[in-house]
């Protein structure tokens, strides 16, 4: 059972990190696109992007906790 717990923990953490990477890429690509369309909104868009990145970065932390729980359970 220990091998399956390790595999489950690795899958959970890997998918969480992958999702965060994709989310960060989308946030910053849309921020750059918005700044190129309306440069006067640069400060507002950057603030919103940084808040969004902070929220997206919570996903790997949650997946790390879940990975530890999967591993500790078995």
């Amino acid at each position: 059972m220990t091998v399956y717990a390790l595999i489950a923990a690795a899958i959970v953490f890997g998918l969480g990190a992958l999702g965060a990477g994709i989310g960060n890429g989308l946030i910053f690509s849309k921020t750059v696109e918005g700044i190129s369309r309306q440069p006067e909104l640069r400060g507002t868009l950057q603030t919103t992007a940084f808040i969004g990145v902070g929220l997206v970065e919570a996903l790997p932390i949650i997946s790390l906790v879940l990975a530890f729980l999967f591993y500790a359970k078995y």
Side-chain angles (χ1 to χ4, degrees):
M1 247 354 190
T2 311
V3 175
Y4 294 123
L6 284 174
I7 292 172
I11 289 172
V12 166
F13 188 66
L15 289 177
L18 179 69
I22 292 171
N24 284 336
L26 288 173
I27 288 171
F28 278 115
S29 71
K30 296 302 179 182
T31 300
V32 169
E33 182 180 335
I35 290 172
S36 67
R37 289 177 186 256
Q38 292 184 339
E40 65 272 5
L41 293 177
R42 179 180 180 190
T44 305
L45 290 173
Q46 281 182 339
T47 303
T48 306
F50 289 140
I51 291 171
V53 166
L55 293 173
V56 167
E57 286 299 321
L59 180 68
I61 295 170
I62 293 169
S63 67
L64 180 65
V65 170
L66 287 175
F68 283 143
L69 288 175
F70 282 140
Y71 183 67
K73 189 173 183 179
Y74 296 104

